[in-house]
Amino acid sequence: MPVLLFLLLCTGIRQSAAVEGVASGTVFFLPGADGLVGDAYLELYWQINPFSLHYRKDTTGALTARVHTGIIVRHDTGIVLEDHYMLHTNPAAPEHASSRNILELKRLRLPYGKFRVELTLTEPDFPQRPFVYTQDINIPSPMPDAACYSDIQLVDTLFATMEQSSIFSRNGYIQIPLATNFLDDDRKILRYYAELYQADRIEQALHPLVQHAYISRRTDGGMVQHLQQRDTVPATAVIPVIGSFDLSSLASGNYYLNIRLQDRDERELASKTYFFQLVNKHPVAREAAPVKDDTTEGTGVVFLDMSKTFVSAFTFPQVKAILEMLLPVSDVWDRKAIENFLKRPDEMYMRYFVYNHFLKINSKEPEKAWKEFSEKVREVNRLFGSNAMPGYKTDRGIIYLKYGKPNDRIMIKNEPGALPYEIWQYYSLGKQSMEGVFLFYQAGSSVQDYRLLHSTVNGELRNSQWRTSLYTKGETNANVNSRAEQYIRGR
């Protein structure tokens, strides 16, 4: 850490006299009792530059800062919502204070009408130059009795979690929004989230429904450089809209992210557009497809006859099972789609999803990609399945499908004071260069009932209290030389 930065933090001196930050807001809707769009709410989120704050030492020598936060929602008739509170940063050592991530998110339920939202961030001891963010919002009344989109939200981070208490929790994921529409040289992947409402009210004759997402130079322009995604969507009341684009081939400039819902004849049923700015000093040449200018429109969707594909051989229960098999090998975006299908099944769209998944793996022979994957599933069922559960649903089967066969598999059956357990070690994990360890233990009476107890892999289950579950007598000191301790080494 540079000496100057260390001194600035320790002494409370800084170059900026104002709180610095970025903020944004997205309007979503709650489902109504009649199945239509219900009340609106604003998801307001912001990020504070930690180096713009004045820090003070506490009794332990750690640095903390305070920011007074004010939120006011105004209507023509006056203030309809107001909130004020003091944000205290968590204590941090001087060398970490400037690198902390200070994020906040508030969900504000709003009636219909036109509003102005004001967010003010001020340090109590330096009130002269606060950070101020304003946003005008128009929530129409009544909402249309037809398909419509929420606003589009850019996403910074998304990963699966069992945590439900976090303000960033959404549908089984921690989803941290990006509080700016500016993407610099360090961010080349644009990730987004929105919600599609009332698609179930579209008459069946217009199906299948197609969602077209693409990047353009203008609001009325066509896609640039084939940056588009097309997929069928189920006809349900609320549909998460999730996706990402690799922007590394685009030059610096202003762009638009567009989402369009179309019927089978490509007539537009709903749409939403989001403006963003990109700085990319060294665009990467695209080799996969020729570059098109922003006046070129996308081609139409070709609907496959599913009866002529390998998917036609599956029964509907088998299609559901295949989706469950795909969960471990899917990225976070596809996992969300699969989970939505399992909650609200739609056979036609589920078959399209299965086919498209293997088409992405092998565009010429998707059936071959399916057969190779099904061989892995059969191996997992043979290794870890039982009469009570197929192998692909077990914790060991899920990790096996996701990362393949471990380099080392150590099975411990009779260690004194411990339940039977297994240690799997991978020397490298896919695109990750790091090694990883998984600890499974026999949680029940069945010899096949092994549960994942702890791992050292980012994004997987981490359980700092794994010893209390593994060691039967709770005497962890007696197991200091166990194989589990040797492999995990306090990680």
Side-chain angles (χ1 to χ4, degrees):
M1 182 182 188
V3 175
L4 176 60
L5 176 57
F6 180 83
L7 292 174
L8 287 172
L9 289 171
C10 290
T11 60
I13 300 173
R14 61 173 189 175
Q15 294 176 327
S16 173
V19 177
E20 298 172 358
V22 288
S24 189
T26 308
V27 175
F28 296 102
F29 293 88
L30 298 169
D34 55 1
L36 298 176
V37 169
D39 292 342
Y41 68 94
L42 173 69
E43 198 164 271
L44 181 66
Y45 39 94
W46 60 95
Q47 184 173 13
I48 300 174
N49 177 3
F51 192 54
S52 70
L53 301 180
H54 293 81
Y55 292 85
R56 294 184 176 184
K57 282 188 177 182
D58 63 14
T59 55
T60 66
L63 299 181
T64 61
R66 299 182 303 157
V67 180
H68 179 268
T69 304
I71 301 173
I72 299 177
V73 180
R74 302 181 188 276
H75 188 267
D76 291 341
T77 58
I79 295 176
V80 297
L81 188 151
E82 188 169 3
D83 187 19
H84 296 272
Y85 64 94
M86 189 68 70
L87 169 67
H88 296 264
T89 65
N90 293 327
E95 62 269 23
H96 299 306
S98 66
S99 60
R100 65 170 59 245
N101 207 0
I102 306 175
L103 288 168
E104 278 281 276
L105 183 148
K106 292 289 182 181
R107 294 187 175 100
L108 313 172
R109 198 158 178 169
L110 298 175
Y112 297 110
K114 295 182 179 180
F115 306 94
R116 167 157 289 194
V117 179
E118 300 175 2
L119 169 68
T120 305
L121 306 176
T122 311
E123 287 190 286
D125 296 332
F126 301 89
Q128 302 90 342
R129 295 179 59 193
F131 169 83
V132 179
Y133 169 81
T134 62
Q135 180 177 349
D136 292 325
I137 297 172
N138 181 20
I139 303 174
S141 177
M143 288 296 294
D145 184 9
C148 58
Y149 284 102
S150 71
D151 290 343
I152 298 174
Q153 182 180 82
L154 297 192
V155 177
D156 178 84
T157 305
L158 179 71
F159 57 89
T161 182
M162 297 180 65
E163 175 64 50
Q164 300 297 322
S165 60
S166 172
I167 189 62
F168 298 107
S169 296
R170 189 198 294 277
N171 302 323
Y173 290 80
I174 292 293
Q175 181 171 305
I176 299 176
L178 186 65
T180 177
N181 65 345
F182 179 82
L183 285 72
D184 60 16
D185 264 327
D186 295 325
R187 188 183 297 274
K188 295 299 185 293
I189 303 296
L190 181 146
R191 297 180 174 87
Y192 61 90
Y193 175 86
E195 292 177 350
L196 173 61
Y197 308 107
Q198 301 178 161
D200 57 338
R201 307 190 72 82
I202 300 173
E203 59 182 288
Q204 190 65 34
L206 301 179
H207 291 212
L209 306 175
V210 177
Q211 189 164 261
H212 182 203
Y214 62 96
I215 304 297
S216 67
R217 281 280 194 181
R218 303 190 304 268
T219 55
D220 58 349
M223 64 180 177
V224 293
Q225 297 189 6
H226 286 283
L227 289 174
Q228 69 164 339
Q229 298 164 352
R230 286 181 182 268
D231 203 358
T232 52
V233 296
T236 53
V238 182
I239 303 171
V241 179
I242 47 183
S244 62
F245 284 102
D246 184 346
L247 305 181
S248 57
S249 63
L250 293 185
S252 301
N254 298 333
Y255 295 92
Y256 293 88
L257 167 62
N258 310 275
I259 303 176
R260 306 282 187 263
L261 180 68
Q262 300 170 327
D263 66 14
R264 65 176 304 122
D265 296 322
E266 298 191 51
R267 290 176 298 222
E268 184 173 294
L269 304 175
S271 66
K272 189 64 70 170
T273 297
Y274 185 92
F275 170 78
F276 67 94
Q277 296 176 299
L278 173 70
V279 171
N280 186 7
K281 298 177 183 176
H282 305 287
V284 177
R286 289 178 61 88
E287 299 178 356
V291 175
K292 290 189 176 184
D293 63 31
D294 62 359
T295 62
T296 304
E297 297 295 343
T299 58
V301 178
V302 177
F303 295 105
L304 291 173
D305 183 352
M306 284 290 109
S307 66
K308 296 180 180 180
T309 70
F310 67 92
V311 182
S312 65
F314 307 135
T315 65
F316 182 50
Q318 287 173 329
V319 173
K320 293 178 67 176
I322 292 171
L323 289 177
E324 292 176 341
M325 297 172 195
L326 291 176
L327 277 170
V329 297
S330 298
D331 59 25
V332 292
W333 313 104
D334 280 352
R335 281 202 298 271
K336 266 185 169 278
I338 292 173
E339 289 164 356
N340 187 58
F341 278 133
L342 296 176
K343 291 177 182 177
R344 294 178 287 273
D346 186 306
E347 182 172 358
M348 179 179 68
Y349 291 107
M350 291 163 72
R351 290 182 183 275
Y352 269 112
F353 185 93
V354 170
Y355 181 83
N356 287 335
H357 176 88
F358 294 102
L359 185 67
K360 287 187 290 186
I361 297 174
N362 189 332
S363 60
K364 295 182 179 179
E365 297 181 87
E367 185 174 3
K368 181 180 179 181
W370 153 248
K371 289 180 178 178
E372 292 173 349
F373 176 73
S374 63
E375 283 296 325
K376 295 179 183 178
V377 173
R378 275 192 282 272
E379 182 180 14
V380 162
N381 287 342
R382 177 179 58 81
L383 290 172
F384 310 116
S386 65
N387 293 333
M389 184 179 297
Y392 65 83
K393 285 190 175 182
T394 65
D395 285 2
R396 290 182 297 179
I398 288 171
I399 297 301
Y400 198 99
L401 283 176
K402 191 171 185 178
Y403 298 108
K405 182 179 179 179
N407 297 105
D408 297 318
R409 181 183 176 189
I410 298 92
M411 294 178 281
I412 311 296
K413 302 292 185 181
N414 300 301
E415 183 178 287
L419 295 171
Y421 65 92
E422 289 188 14
I423 297 169
W424 291 12
Q425 178 167 271
Y426 292 85
Y427 299 157
S428 63
L429 291 158
K431 296 180 180 179
Q432 301 182 44
S433 59
M434 63 170 61
E435 59 89 28
V437 173
F438 293 88
L439 172 63
F440 304 90
Y441 79 118
Q442 187 176 318
S445 57
S446 171
V447 295
Q448 289 293 90
D449 186 21
Y450 275 74
R451 308 282 179 83
L452 178 60
L453 182 58
H454 176 61
S455 72
T456 64
V457 178
N458 291 335
E460 300 291 352
L461 174 68
R462 288 178 177 265
N463 178 9
S464 61
Q465 303 300 315
W466 60 267
R467 295 174 181 82
T468 61
S469 298
L470 183 63
Y471 301 137
T472 56
K473 296 181 181 179
E475 299 175 1
T476 57
N477 291 334
N479 298 83
V480 291
N481 295 316
S482 72
R483 299 299 294 276
E485 299 289 353
Q486 294 172 14
Y487 274 84
I488 295 175
R489 302 189 302 276
R491 293 178 292 173

